[in-house]
Amino acid sequence: MNLCRLSDIANIEISGVDKKSVDGETPVRLCNFVDVYRNWAITQNLLKSFMIASAKETEIAKCSIHKGQVAITKDSETRDDIGISAYIADDFDDVLLGYHCALITPNEDILDGKYLNAFMHTSYIQKYFENNASGSGQRYTLSNETIFQIPILLPSLRVQKAIGNLLSNIDRKIELNRQINDNLEKIAKQLYDYWFVQFDFPDENGRPYKSSGGAMVWNEKLKREIPQGWSTAKIKDIAQTYSGGTPTSTKSDYYIGGNIPWINSGELNSPIITSTPNYITEKGFNNSSAKLYPLYSILVALYGATAGKVSLLSFEACSNQAVCGIIPNDGDMTTYIRYYLISLYEHFITLSSGSARDNISQDTIKNTILPIPTQDVLTKYSDVTKP
């Protein structure tokens, strides 16, 4: 097995294609940072979600995406968001890779794209990115030289293809499971909208409340009507909230051999977090501001590529400081609060756009006001959606 520099076995282009449409340039679609960040593979299924923009001919020549290439995220607000790769699984017409990313075209006689993508996800390369990322505070980046110098372990092409195909098959199974989970999420979200947006939860006779003439009253705090008998509260009044912490990265005894799960903000792309590859030791936990969140805590990403995303934690874990943990005082409110915060995603993003780091403060979460349904409605909704 050989060890090679990436630039010796692949062509690398750093994208500078922004999200604007400029007169005189050619209309294109952009595969952007979040598309790379959220997907193991970029397929035709994603085409409709790509942003419309424009580009110069030189940019089109350098940054058009094609089957067999690999894209990686290059810079972001948090260290965890950079160095994430995606395999270009299909050919595209007039689709370019957007800025804050790099496009890698392997020499097909030496390097297989599926293998390269899998290799980019290993802890070996992620540690390389962690050690070589520059910047602090407001932005982290992988320099061009860091990307060119990525050390690639290179077995034979036959072995590469076998590894790449095996992991791609596993990923297709994961994607199928994710689609099943997404459908269940949609059902629960649809029920939330029906009960708590349209207010057609079952009344005492089992009929839809508002449609059947249920009384509505004006609420001054929310500036809208809510069902009679409901109240309002801030998140901090009905739940405990904590932000996470990161043990000093240079202290190996804070991480090696750790058995305490440690969530980063990027993992909040999943609506329910069922596992994590990241762990810290008890010593690392005790020497940081990390807090241990209990089972069924609600997590909100405060900044980075996933800012505003909401997940449910299915095991005890702590997190980095880019995550806010919410522990409802009443377990029956967990699913309700979770979907209420999910419904505020666009609102949170709008609030964050004027800040120095495009982030959401923990105080914003704590002071969020929400309507509080009666206990029987909350219990019924929890019983239906928790499974």
Side-chain angles (χ1 to χ4, degrees):
M1 183 178 293
N2 298 321
L3 183 65
C4 303
R5 293 185 309 172
L6 181 61
S7 59
D8 290 336
I9 54 177
N11 180 66
I12 304 164
E13 296 288 353
I14 308 301
S15 176
V17 185
D18 62 27
K19 302 175 182 179
K20 298 177 182 177
S21 292
V22 179
D23 289 341
E25 292 185 347
T26 303
V28 296
R29 285 185 177 269
L30 289 186
C31 172
N32 279 317
F33 182 103
V34 291
D35 301 309
V36 175
Y37 185 85
R38 293 175 180 172
N39 296 283
W40 175 277
I42 304 299
T43 67
Q44 283 284 344
N45 291 336
L46 299 172
L47 182 60
K48 291 182 180 179
S49 67
F50 291 159
M51 181 177 293
I52 296 174
S54 69
K56 302 179 180 69
E57 291 303 320
T58 53
E59 294 172 326
I60 293 173
K62 291 196 307 181
C63 297
S64 293
I65 64 173
H66 302 288
K67 184 176 181 179
Q69 295 173 314
V70 173
I72 66 169
T73 58
K74 185 178 182 294
D75 53 275
S76 184
E77 290 87 355
T78 66
R79 191 187 295 269
D80 297 327
D81 295 342
I82 59 178
I84 306 300
S85 69
Y87 175 67
I88 311 301
D90 292 323
D91 280 315
F92 293 88
D93 294 324
D94 303 322
V95 176
L96 275 60
L97 184 66
Y99 66 165
H100 302 314
C101 295
L103 184 62
I104 303 166
T105 305
N107 180 336
E108 294 181 353
D109 295 329
I110 303 173
L111 178 63
D112 179 69
K114 288 182 182 178
Y115 169 79
L116 175 62
N117 183 46
F119 189 74
M120 287 290 191
H121 283 86
T122 63
S123 58
Y124 171 79
I125 289 300
Q126 290 304 308
K127 180 59 69 174
Y128 170 82
F129 290 146
E130 181 181 323
N131 291 337
N132 289 278
S134 59
S136 62
Q138 293 194 7
R139 199 154 195 90
Y140 294 88
T141 187
L142 298 174
S143 69
N144 295 358
E145 187 64 18
T146 295
I147 296 173
F148 294 162
Q149 297 287 339
I150 294 173
I152 306 296
L153 290 171
L154 207 64
S156 69
L157 194 59
R158 178 182 63 81
V159 172
Q160 289 180 50
K161 289 182 180 295
I163 292 171
N165 287 333
L166 173 63
L167 294 178
S168 291
N169 289 338
I170 293 172
D171 189 66
R172 278 195 289 271
K173 174 61 176 172
I174 293 171
E175 181 59 31
L176 177 60
N177 289 342
R178 186 180 294 121
Q179 290 174 8
I180 293 171
N181 291 341
D182 286 347
N183 286 336
L184 292 172
E185 278 289 304
K186 288 174 183 175
I187 292 170
K189 176 63 165 60
Q190 187 175 38
L191 189 64
Y192 170 88
D193 290 342
Y194 189 62
W195 282 30
F196 303 119
V197 178
Q198 300 177 44
F199 301 119
D200 271 336
F201 53 88
D203 65 12
E204 62 274 13
N205 299 310
R207 297 176 301 181
Y209 180 84
K210 187 176 180 181
S211 296
S212 300
M216 303 290 292
V217 295
W218 177 259
N219 185 274
E220 189 60 31
K221 291 181 180 178
L222 294 170
K223 304 298 182 186
R224 61 188 173 97
E225 288 188 331
I226 60 174
Q228 190 174 54
W230 288 25
S231 59
T232 61
K234 293 180 178 180
I235 291 290
K236 66 181 181 181
D237 298 328
I238 57 174
Q240 297 174 289
T241 64
Y242 303 99
S243 61
T246 300
T248 304
S249 60
T250 55
K251 293 186 178 292
S252 59
D253 57 342
Y254 288 1
Y255 293 90
I256 295 176
N259 60 1
I260 301 174
W262 186 67
I263 308 297
N264 65 53
S265 59
E267 296 175 76
L268 272 66
N269 266 320
S270 299
I272 299 178
I273 300 175
T274 57
S275 65
T276 179
N278 307 305
Y279 293 84
I280 60 174
T281 63
E282 186 173 349
K283 186 175 182 181
F285 178 81
N286 291 332
N287 286 277
S288 73
S289 58
K291 301 288 192 299
L292 193 63
Y293 307 135
L295 174 71
Y296 299 137
S297 295
I298 302 161
L299 304 184
V300 183
L302 298 177
Y303 52 89
T306 52
K309 290 289 186 178
V310 180
S311 291
L312 186 68
L313 188 61
S314 67
F315 52 94
E316 283 190 338
C318 52
S319 75
N320 67 10
Q321 62 270 28
V323 174
C324 174
I326 302 169
I327 301 94
N329 299 333
D330 179 354
D332 281 346
M333 294 200 73
T334 299
T335 306
Y336 172 70
I337 293 174
R338 176 178 167 232
Y339 280 111
Y340 185 80
L341 292 173
I342 289 173
S343 74
L344 295 180
Y345 175 75
E346 296 296 338
H347 171 67
F348 287 148
I349 295 303
T350 300
L351 288 178
S352 74
S353 62
S355 62
R357 293 188 61 190
D358 288 344
N359 62 26
I360 304 164
S361 72
Q362 188 182 169
D363 281 343
T364 296
I365 304 297
K366 293 169 75 169
N367 290 300
T368 295
I369 300 174
L370 69 166
I372 305 298
T374 57
Q375 187 62 50
D376 64 317
V377 172
L378 279 172
T379 301
K380 285 178 184 177
Y381 182 70
S382 179
D383 289 346
V384 171
T385 55
K386 254 188 178 179

